[in-house]
Amino acid sequence: HLSHLRTDENEALDVAAAYVVKGLQDDETVCIVAPGGKTRRIMDVLQQKIENVEKCCTTGKLHLSQGAETPEQQTKHLLDLAAQTEGRLRVFGDMTWTRDKGWRMGDLARLEKTFNQSPRPGGCLFLCQYALNTFTGRETMMAVETHTHSIYRGQIKENPYAQ
């Protein structure tokens, strides 16, 4: 369960695309949870890097989502997807989607903590991307505290504040 604290949109897109590409190359099932515009930008990059990316969607290897209305619905959706997946599920979340749903910090924290405690059928890998110009300091600190590792400016580090 990783967080990516981002300040630059190009870096954000590069990290997201590389994460998704690696999952598809490793024959994992991948789910992108992001606002529509971000998903389109990621898909544009994927089309340059993966032959026939549309086939990944039709065969169920790549799932696209704009997120659920509540943390409980989102948790259920991802756990159901993990249970249906052969092998590992890799999830990329541009967490700005929670803003579109009107989530508060408590909702976001509940979702993040749930995935630290939930059993993960078949294994899951999560990358949650937080835009530092969108989330408050308290929300960013919650993101740091609820992930074992963080990526910032291209470097991955173990998180000393993880709870």
Side-chain angles (χ1 to χ4, degrees), residues 135-153:
F135 291 93
T136 67
R138 288 184 64 209
E139 291 166 328
T140 300
M141 202 58 212
M142 177 278 306
V144 169
E145 291 172 349
T146 56
H147 295 82
T148 60
H149 291 76
S150 293
I151 302 167
Y152 180 66
R153 294 190 176 175

Side-chain angles (χ1 to χ4, degrees), residues 54-75:
E54 292 81 19
K55 184 179 179 185
C56 295
C57 292
T58 59
T59 61
K61 281 310 222 179
L62 180 60
H63 298 261
L64 307 177
S65 171
Q66 292 187 27
E69 297 300 318
T70 68
E72 294 76 22
Q73 290 171 341
Q74 184 66 22
T75 298

Side-chain angles (χ1 to χ4, degrees), residues 115-129:
F115 285 109
N116 285 337
Q117 300 164 353
S118 294
R120 297 176 197 141
C124 296
L125 183 60
F126 296 92
L127 175 60
C128 304
Q129 197 171 73

Side-chain angles (χ1 to χ4, degrees), residues 4-8 130-137 140 152-153:
H4 176 223
L5 307 175
R6 69 175 182 85
T7 57
D8 177 79
Y130 284 84
L132 294 178
N133 63 343
T134 301
F135 291 93
T136 67
T140 300
Y152 180 66
R153 294 190 176 175

